Amino acid sequence: MPTSTAADIAVRVRTLATLLLRQQQRLAVAESCTGGLIAAALTAMPGSSVWFERGWVTYSNAAKSEELDVDPALIAAQGAVSEAVAEAMASGARRQAQADYALSVTGIAGPDGGTLEKPVGTVCFGWSSPVGTITETQHFSGDRQSIREQSVLHALNGLTHLLIDMPPQGQPLL
């Protein structure tokens, strides 16, 4: 990873660790196009076992269905790279891990696989919390590695905002 991106990711992981520890909550991740980079970034921090529950790399459609209970009909109708599938992945990861929060990433990192409707760089995200799941689609540019790194940082940033904006009931906003 380029130094600035790696440094940004490390800072974001430290922030997430602080928030999760403060709230005594645990996280799970479900990754497709990032291929485990998010879990690797999270577990690079010593002590992450206190707040990181587990992660899945569900690269194939079958893995998404078998491991995270994503309905194959949903994948067929919406495509693996869709907010609907990102939502199902995040919700499935949170449920399967019995975690407080989960995030998911599914996208097209390239250099092949893009279409006019979903070009290379299209990445869908899901963030699941005790109150529901939110999704978002981003369009990144660059080569495969750059798209994957941007996806990692965006996923972590989204979770950070979720943790700050939606603390557990009875706790004040940070």
Side-chain angles (χ1 to χ4, degrees):
M1 285 186 207
T3 306
S4 62
T5 303
D8 292 342
I9 289 171
V11 167
R12 186 55 60 212
V13 169
R14 284 192 298 276
T15 301
L16 283 170
T18 299
L19 291 167
L20 289 163
L21 285 168
R22 194 175 290 164
Q23 297 178 13
Q24 297 181 339
Q25 295 188 313
R26 295 182 61 80
L27 169 65
V29 299
E31 303 180 65
S32 187
C33 67
T34 50
L37 292 175
I38 296 171
L42 295 170
T43 59
M45 182 176 193
S48 58
S49 62
V50 175
W51 49 268
F52 181 72
E53 174 59 35
R54 69 184 80 170
W56 288 267
V57 177
T58 54
Y59 212 68
S60 71
N61 292 343
K64 289 172 181 64
S65 297
E66 292 166 11
E67 299 295 320
L68 302 173
D69 296 327
V70 177
D71 187 344
L74 179 67
I75 296 171
Q78 300 289 319
V81 179
S82 64
E83 288 187 25
V85 169
E87 179 178 9
M89 288 172 64
S91 298
R94 185 171 172 270
R95 184 177 53 256
Q96 294 285 41
Q98 298 180 14
D100 301 289
Y101 292 90
L103 67 82
S104 67
V105 180
T106 182
I108 306 164
D112 301 319
T115 65
L116 287 176
E117 184 180 288
K118 296 178 186 178
V120 169
T122 302
V123 183
C124 300
F125 299 86
W127 297 277
S128 186
S129 75
V131 297
T133 302
I134 57 174
T135 60
E136 180 179 72
T137 299
Q138 289 290 313
H139 300 278
F140 299 118
S141 61
D143 63 13
R144 181 178 180 81
Q145 189 61 24
S146 175
I147 290 168
R148 289 163 39 111
E149 290 169 358
Q150 291 172 75
S151 297
V152 170
L153 187 57
H154 189 79
L156 297 176
N157 282 337
L159 181 61
T160 301
H161 290 295
L162 182 66
L163 286 166
I164 290 170
D165 294 341
M166 301 170 80
Q169 291 181 353
Q171 291 190 13
L173 290 173
L174 297 173

